[in-house]
Structures are given as C-alpha cells and as structure tokens.
Amino acid sequence: MSKDTSINIGLCGFGTVGQGVWKHLEQNRAELAARLGAPLRIAAIAVRDPQRKRAVKLPPKLLREDPLEIATAPDIPIVCELMGGTDLAHRVTLAALRAGKIVVSANKALICEHGAEIFATARKHGGHFFFEASVAGGIPIIKALREGLVANRFPQIYGILNGTCNYILTQMEERDAPYAEILSEAKAMGYAEADESLDVGGWDAAHKAAVLAWLAHGLWVPPSRMIVEGIERVTPADFKNAATLGYSIKLLAIITRDFASNEVSVKVHPALLPDHDVIASVNGVYNAISVTGDVVGTTLYIGKGAGQDATASAVISDIADAVALLRSGKCVHLNSEVAPLPAEQASAGKSGEGSVAASAVTLAPLERIHGRYYLRLTVRDEPGVLAHIASIMAQHAVSIASVLQTPSEDPEMASLVLTTHDANERAMRDTLHELSRLKVVNGAPLLLRICEFNT
Amino acid sequence: MSKDTSINIGLCGFGTVGQGVWKHLEQNRAELAARLGAPLRIAAIAVRDPQRKRAVKLPPKLLREDPLEIATAPDIPIVCELMGGTDLAHRVTLAALRAGKIVVSANKALICEHGAEIFATARKHGGHFFFEASVAGGIPIIKALREGLVANRFPQIYGILNGTCNYILTQMEERDAPYAEILSEAKAMGYAEADESLDVGGWDAAHKAAVLAWLAHGLWVPPSRMIVEGIERVTPADFKNAATLGYSIKLLAIITRDFASNEVSVKVHPALLPDHDVIASVNGVYNAISVTGDVVGTTLYIGKGAGQDATASAVISDIADAVALLRSGKCVHLNSEVAPLPAEQASAGKSGEGSVAASAVTLAPLERIHGRYYLRLTVRDEPGVLAHIASIMAQHAVSIASVLQTPSEDPEMASLVLTTHDANERAMRDTLHELSRLKVVNGAPLLLRICEFNT
C-alpha cells in the first residue's frame, strides 16, 4: 500500500459510539493523518434506517443497509463493529475476519460469548481483532496489559469496571438515598439503560472481567463460572455501617491468580474497600483498574469508563494500530500475536513452553476463594439470637471479627451486622444457607465482601 | 527472520537496571517466548570492569568492555543503552541507530539533550529508538500517549515524575520533619543519590517533562526554557499552612497547551494541590500522571516511578515492541512513526497538514502563564508592613486572596503567608523581586504555586 493512499474504514452501526468515532475522526483529521502517516477515510456506514434524521449529516452515498456488505467489501480493510448485540455483530465480525480484515470492536458481550471462535478465525484467515474499547472506555488498559506490561505475570487485577453502578453507589453514599430512587434518576439522566439489569446485576462488569482474565491468564471464564453479585440489595444503612468500620462500598471486579496452585478466580460483587485504597475515592461514572504485575509492582489506571467520547478515543486508537499494521505489509503485531493463548488452544503446543503454563491454569474451587465478609441480617430482637447465629457460623469454621447491632424499623426486629475473619466462599455459602432458614432471621441476609488489597 | 530463531539482545551497562532486565528476562523466559513468538537471548553485555564480582553470575563469553562493539555487532539487532550519562551513551546510541538497529533506552537526560538528533538519525538509517523506561518507570505512559490516546490532543498533562522528591515531601508532611533530616535519611536508604541536586532541584522531572511535552506537542523544550524550581526551600511550616488552606504539597511537572494561541508551557515546581485531587494522595516513591485529552477526557496513571524492577518492566516492554517490529520485516511501527514531528522538522513538510499545526506551536511567554500563588515571607513584626507589601503587590496587579500571620522564632519577626487570586508569572516575578529588596523582609520570600486542575 502506497504511503499516500487514504485508508478506508467501514463503520457498522452509527449509534452513540459510531457517531463519536465519525465526529473525532473528522475533527482531528489533519493531526491524525500526520501521526499515522496516512489519511483516513470513512468509506461506508451501515445504518438500520438510512431515511432516519440524524444529528450528523452523512453523505447518502456512504450509507449501507447491510453491514455484511461492508464486512466483505474488498476496498475496506478496517471494519468497526459498533452495533452491539451478539447475533448480527457475530456474523459481521466473522465475515470480515474471514476476508482477512481488521475488525475493531467495543463489544464485550460478543468477545465474552464468542471470543475463542473470533480469535481462531482471525488466526486462520490472517485477520485481526482489536478491542481496546470493550473494557474501561478510554483507559488504554488492553494495550497496557498486553504490551506495556508484557514483561509481567499478574497475581492480582481489580477495579471498578461499570460506571453506572459506580454512579449509583456514589450517589447513595453521598446523599444517603435508597437504591431505587437513585436508579430512576440515573435512568432519567441517561446514565442507566431502560433495562438496567445487565449493569446493576454485575453482568456488564463480568463480561469485561472475562476479557481481562483472558488477556492476563489465557483462560476464557464465562460469567456463569464466576461469582457475580449485583448492587440491587445494598442499602444506605450498609454505607453507614461500612463507614463506621472505615470502608466505602464499590462494585469491584477481582481477578486473582495463585501461581503456586496455578488457579484463577474471577469475581464481580459489591465490596467494602478501605478508605485508604485510592480506588475507594474514585467516584461517579469513572472506572479504575489496579494491576499488580510480578515485575512492575502495582500500577493504577483511572478514567471515564463509558460515553461517546471516551469510547471513540479507544476505537480510534485501535484504528491507528490497524493502520500501522496495514502499512507494514505483514507486521506481526503485538495486538494480535503476543497475547497468551487461550487455554483450550494451548495444548496444541503452538508456541512451546509458554503454552504449557497456560494450559495448566484452572479455575479455583470455592474452597480456595477466601477473604473477610460483611453480613447483615434482620433478626428477632430477643435473647439468644446472637448466640444461635454465632454457633452456626462456628460450625462452618467462620470466625466473627465484629458485631454491630442497630435498631430496625420494626420494634420487634433488630439489624445485626457481623464481620468475619478470613473464611472461604464455600463455608460462607453454607453458613448463609443455614442462617436464611432460621425462624429468627427475617428475609434474606445480605453478604458483602471486605477487600483489603496488599498494594 | 525465521519464526524459530532466537532474537539477540545486547545490554550496554549492567548496573541496577541492566541487572533487572537480565533477571526478569531469565525468570519469565518461557512465558515471554510464548507471548512474543520468539525466544530472546542476551548475546552480549558491556560492563566497565569485566573482573568485578557481581551478584549475578554472568557467562564470561558474554562480557564486552566496549559498548560500541555491541552497538555495531551485525548479529545483535536490539541494543539496550542502560549506562546513563550523555557522552558514551550518545555515541553508542547513534552508532546503533546508524547500523539500522533498534535502541531501547531509559536515559531521559540523553533524550532531552540529543533527542532531535537521535530521532533524525533513526529516521535516516531505518533504526528505531524506544524509551518507555525514560519516564515514570513501570507506568506505560509513553505507549498510552502515543498509541492508546492517539486520537487526542492534550490541553493538560500534569503529575509527579520524581519519586525521590515525592518520598521526601511525603515524609516531611507525615512526620513534620525538616527537609535536611529527611534528605539524609533518604540518602542512607538509597532513595536519593549522593549528589541529590538533579532530583531535588527538579531537573530530573524536567527531563521527563521534556519527553512528555515532545510526545504530546512535537516541541523540544529544554529545561532552560521551562520554569524549574526544586523542593529545597519547602519547610514543615509550609505543609502546616497548606493543610490549613486545604492543600498538600507535591513536586509537579505541568505541561499546558492552549489550542487557541497554540502556546505550550512546561513547568516543574512544588505545588499546593487540593486534598480532593487524587494525585494529592499519591505518596512515597510513587509517580502519577494525569493526562487530559480533548476526546477521552482525563485519564490518570499511577505506579512506581523508579527502581530496578519497575524500570526493567518498561525496558522489556520496549524489547517486546522491538521483537514485533523485527518479526514483521518492514513494520511501520507506531513507536517510531506515529509521534508528532519535532517542531524543527515539521517545516520540512514531511506529512502535510498535520505538521503545519506542529510547526505553529510556540512556548508561552511568562505573561500568559498564570495561576494562583502562595507566598511566605519573614517580615519585621511592626505596624504598616502588611500595608506596604499589599501596595507593592497591587502595583503589579497581583490581588491578595488570603493572609495568614504566624509567629516566627525571632520575636521581632513574623511569618506572613499570602495567597493570591489569579496572576501571571511575569507579575509575580516582578513582585517577588521588589519584595525581596524591602528592608522589612528578612531573607528570600518563598513562592509556591497553587494548582487547582479542572479534571
């Protein structure tokens, strides 16, 4: 490809992110051409309804109704899949990769569901799949993990990966307001989707955690194999209790690898984070990721996790990498080759020794996932209740660290907040199951995890 | 180059960083080979004294006395310049680049002094110069600026770039201890060099700021054209005064670009940073960099800024990029081509429109660098002094925001702390010059800058 030829880009999808990419490619056109050594041209845009009025005025000749047309067009080497969903997006992605193209995607659900197939297809046909925008918006965390920190193995990665949840939790904490009230405000302001369940249930963060876990450890962990708990049951009282104990509450994704047992665990749940942890002070729609590498120590990344502009910044950085790749002819680019192999590929022995280590990685069983816990129960306010609960916990070898009893709205009830010493997930599940069946316990107990990271 | 061939690396210098690179390349040998698709081999190491006993036992056949031998050896495509200094390091770097090699460097002083020549030599001979380790140790900030955030222009970059100063300031603040005491402790613990002046005078941070300013704005700003002030005159009393006003004190590097006037300013100085700024809580030997992009908004990066392991992590990430470049044959790699051109190159018009913007960038004059100031003076404790000082400030259009008077050790003296509203550097310099000549003012006034960033 000659140095003076424009490079054609196809956009599949022209919603919030697509329009952001268009806008910023237009605005910084000259600067980007200088930085990349070649001008970029958006050659085609697939939209669901070409007749629809849009804030951005598009030349009609650019519009296509079928994104597959862009995926297979011989003159478009870079295809941005910005439609979302896992059906048509899946077909478009595979078609473009089979044509040896470079696909740029912000679609973490697609990667999570079809990642292994997507990467295998790319390898087979010489295509490439870039996905910086899929995790933590404008923070270049994918590039940091696979390139900037390539010298490292990663015992611990944790952080805030969902801005909607962080916004809701921050508002609840600052305004002492209940979840439902803040949620409906967030919907009205466009910070939460009409169907909020993917965000508040922790599933969006789980998709992103799956991508990070794969990058760091070469293992595809579907959300069904993770511990995933949402923020729906956190109350203003929990924030007060947490504050009394010196903690804030954040929805965290936590990816841990024990290099002795070679076990990985991936969890997404609301967590009590001590006030001195920098991530405890990351508020609103911001994301934050703490990465501990065995060489570099801990590095921390903070930025806006979503939104048109932050996501467009990430998509454009992938386009820039794609341009470098195209201009190089046959560049073996870090983005496509350097990452650890997925575990299921590793046994094929593609790259010798390294893959042996990757194939040996397994998911940690619940018995070996452990930590401290915060447990809130509504109980009958009568003698012997605490003794009863404590004896059940002791039977499961769960040791109590602190007890906080506060009045309940119902004068016959009390709110009991217990924190534990180190215990494992299996023991806590069993404990919780037994406690929730007690007649003196009203409703389901709330379990939160206390996370004190050594960083 | 065949996929199964080891890639030879030469280390010039085997001090702290060189030994770290050796150690981690050895420890993660198999994993790195798998990630990079090729095993790495350290083929030669230049040391000043081959007879010297070392903690690491090196095969004698690897040792060279002359680093230029490694720079020109035809079988070593990647040369790591880890000697430091700007004389021999300069010759080694140029020799390797003239041979079309890839040079990996942690040497910010070298880049700062000879950057334009180094990059021109690389371009001319097809060599490449990578320098991730030169700024902020293990934080992949170079890669973030030129690749991850390539879609952005950068109105503001600021942060803590010198871990030694941050350690000293943190200890002074936490222990209410004087500068000299903490400095000698830091020297004893190896956190400060025997000659501390490069660090505490702000020059090390200025070198790093020059590298970042060049990356972000394509302009080489030598430290002599920056505002550079050190931490030597900060006292425990200043921390107390700052705390009273709601601030912490950090040595910051600040790179600002006004896109309307196209002016850049680069400053390194102790700054009063409000407690709510996340960087105010970054303590000890950590570095932190806040990058505001016009597309992505503000992203923040925190990690260890120096030390054997963090620096080795960065050097190895550059080696990984170098390997990808070598394996690609003729890859036009982002690290070498995407960066904005230095201003003096831009007028040659290498890449059209983009370079026009770069060539128009100039350094902001002192009149257009502005902010709020903190001024501490020791004055005679007598009537009319404050009125006199205030009238001098008013003559220079510097408006006082707050006044804090505290007793001095000398009963005839008082310590006067003033903060100003927005004023410019020229006016403050003139004010300071005049105030320091007053008979009622004892010793040189201390000027600190108050930095409240909109992030």
Side-chain angles (χ1 to χ4, degrees), chain A residues 24 28 31 34-35 138 140 143 147-148 150-153 295-296 299-302 309 313 317 321 328 331 334 338, chain B residues 28 31 35 138 140 143 147-148 150-153 295-296 299-302 309 313 316-317 321 328 331 334 338 354:
Chain A
H24 293 295
N28 288 353
E31 199 129 355
R35 288 186 189 181
K143 191 175 273 288
E147 300 179 28
V150 66
N152 294 266
R153 303 190 304 166
V295 179
V296 75
T299 54
L300 177 61
Y301 306 80
I302 303 177
D309 296 330
S313 175
S317 83
D321 279 2
S328 78
C331 175
L334 287 168
V338 166
Chain B
N28 288 353
E31 200 129 354
R35 289 185 188 181
K143 192 175 272 290
E147 300 179 29
V150 67
N152 293 267
R153 303 191 304 166
V295 179
V296 74
T299 55
L300 177 62
Y301 307 80
I302 303 176
D309 296 330
S313 176
I316 293 170
S317 82
D321 279 2
S328 78
C331 175
L334 286 168
V338 166

Side-chain angles (χ1 to χ4, degrees), chain B residues 247-266:
Chain B
Y247 298 97
S248 182
I249 301 177
K250 298 289 183 189
L251 182 79
L252 293 188
I254 304 168
I255 302 160
T256 308
R257 177 159 172 188
D258 179 334
F259 284 96
S261 65
N262 231 350
E263 287 172 345
V264 167
S265 72
V266 185

